[in-house]
Amino acid sequence: MSGGPDDRSAEGRGGLNQPRQTTTLGFVGLGAMGAPMVRRLLGAGHRVLVHDVNMAAVAAAVSKGAEGRTGPAAVASEAEVVLVSLPTPDVVRQVALGPGGLIEGGAMRVYVDLSTTGAQVAQAVADGLAARGVTALDAPVSGGVAGAEAGTLSVMAAGDPAAFERLRPVLEVIGANTVLVGDRVGLGQTLKLVNNLLAATTWAAACEALAMGARAGLDPELMVGVINRSSGRSFATEKFAAGPVLTRRFDFGFRMELMAKDMRLALQEAEALGLVMPTSRAAQMLYGLAMAGGGGKGDVTELARVTEGWAGVEIAAARRNEA
Ligand code: NAD
């Protein structure tokens, strides 16, 4: 790819196809996931040019060694590879293709969307950028903030296999399980939505079941501990219930509205495929109720508050320090 990332190796400065070498990366979206991913990329020796509408997030990244830029176009006018981690499909479209967007930067050759935004937007953005000679990969991630901090995320990439192979060393800085799931842009997004639909539905079922157990008189901590060594265990019971809910800290680090967005995108895709999805749709209603009650900005683990309210109990660990 002329002007692509591996041109740097010709200059003796390092290409993306050689894992130990570093390159100049752009990164837009320094939120719960983006900020720790940028810290890891800096730690691996990359130069990282960053932008976020939140100035405090930019300042925090700069304090770790990143270089702030005023907007997406400024990032893409210097960085050949630009990664984004943004909240919604609309924001991704705007940042990539809108006025002042990445498309206006002349240096970018590869664009990687790490957000969860659905196959439709991935395809639309890829088409828009292709007209400017930019290769797009969708590479949504799973594993939460803790996985982003530890570099243990699952990265579900899709798009041009050659571009993926060149990018692999960069993606492996943020993900321990980096897989090309298909050569059609959007397939990574589809797999991520399938995963999150399952995770969200499992969590809704767990909220109901755990509230029932607590209402019946089981000690919540004991109950969750036994389930996590039995056949009812899941990511939701291990990572949502066992920590954030039992401690009442509700601090997993994924906003309820983002999970609701993922369910909506997944079910839209299912509908386009002519599939009914009754179980997932029932679970979606629980999130709808939580959001209607003002829970959208809260943590996804606060979904438990809805079923706790119905049952008149708390799924809480006993406060051992109390007399
Ligand atoms: P977040 O809201 O914490 O971060 C998004 C960042 O984008 C914020 O810093 C925000 O200021 C910035 N932003 C918004 N609009 C912008 C714009 N126009 N230009 C530049 N920056 C802008 O969200 P997050 O939890 O980091 O999630 C990011 C994406 O990753 C989402 O699509 C989410 O679904 C997905 N995801 C999140 C998790 C998780 O556990 N938090 C896990 C896997 C995937």
Side-chain angles (χ1 to χ4, degrees):
M1 182 173 24
S2 171
D6 22 357
D7 282 3
R8 289 183 167 266
S9 51
E11 300 162 16
R13 294 167 62 195
L16 291 170
N17 50 345
Q18 296 178 37
R20 291 217 176 76
Q21 293 173 328
T22 62
T23 191
T24 298
L25 304 172
F27 203 108
V28 181
L30 307 168
M33 296 297 283
M37 290 195 258
V38 165
R39 286 200 293 273
R40 288 199 63 83
L41 292 167
L42 290 166
H46 294 290
R47 179 179 176 224
V48 190
L49 314 178
V50 298
H51 171 69
D52 194 295
V53 287
N54 177 349
M55 291 300 135
V58 174
V62 168
S63 77
K64 303 287 181 195
E67 296 172 41
R69 292 295 180 268
T70 51
V75 169
S77 67
E78 288 181 69
E80 295 160 82
V81 176
V82 179
L83 304 104
V84 304
S85 177
L86 295 162
T88 63
D90 289 349
V91 173
V92 164
R93 201 186 281 262
Q94 175 78 13
V95 164
L97 305 178
L102 296 171
I103 195 166
E104 294 179 11
M108 181 174 70
R109 290 293 169 268
V110 180
Y111 159 90
V112 184
D113 185 5
L114 302 161
S115 345
T116 309
T117 47
Q120 234 184 338
V121 165
Q123 193 60 62
V125 170
D127 290 348
L129 293 179
R132 300 289 290 262
V134 177
T135 302
L137 293 174
D138 52 313
V141 301
S142 180
V145 174
E149 280 166 355
T152 56
L153 295 169
S154 280
V155 182
M156 308 170 204
D160 176 51
F164 170 75
E165 283 309 325
R166 286 196 297 275
L167 255 291
R168 187 192 279 278
V170 170
L171 296 176
E172 287 182 344
V173 173
I174 58 175
N177 179 28
T178 298
V179 181
L180 184 71
V181 306
D183 59 9
R184 177 157 51 87
V185 170
L187 280 176
Q189 289 291 340
T190 300
L191 179 48
K192 168 66 182 172
L193 291 180
V194 167
N195 177 80
N196 273 32
L197 187 64
L198 182 56
T201 301
T202 309
W203 178 223
C207 289
E208 282 187 8
L210 296 176
M212 178 207 143
R215 171 65 179 263
L218 285 166
D219 172 71
E221 190 173 20
L222 182 144
M223 169 173 63
V224 171
V226 171
I227 287 172
N228 282 338
R229 290 186 298 281
S230 306
S231 57
R233 76 178 181 278
S234 61
F235 183 90
T237 60
E238 290 178 343
K239 305 287 188 196
F240 293 175
V245 176
L246 284 177
T247 61
R248 313 310 283 169
R249 286 205 287 268
F250 299 105
D251 59 353
F252 178 77
F254 186 41
R255 282 201 307 284
M256 177 97 64
E257 64 185 5
L258 293 181
M259 187 67 110
K261 173 258 305 179
D262 293 348
M263 294 189 93
R264 179 172 51 78
L265 290 170
L267 290 169
Q268 279 171 358
E269 199 161 326
E271 190 166 0
L273 294 166
L275 300 173
V276 185
M277 316 291 281
T279 310
S280 311
R281 286 199 185 279
Q284 189 187 27
M285 284 178 59
L286 195 61
Y287 289 83
L289 289 168
M291 304 264 289
K297 302 284 179 211
D299 196 75
V300 67
T301 56
E302 298 198 49
L303 190 70
R305 291 190 194 275
V306 179
T307 57
E308 288 177 343
W310 294 342
V313 292
E314 279 194 351
I315 306 163
R319 281 178 232 158
R320 293 169 194 281
N321 294 336
E322 279 179 9

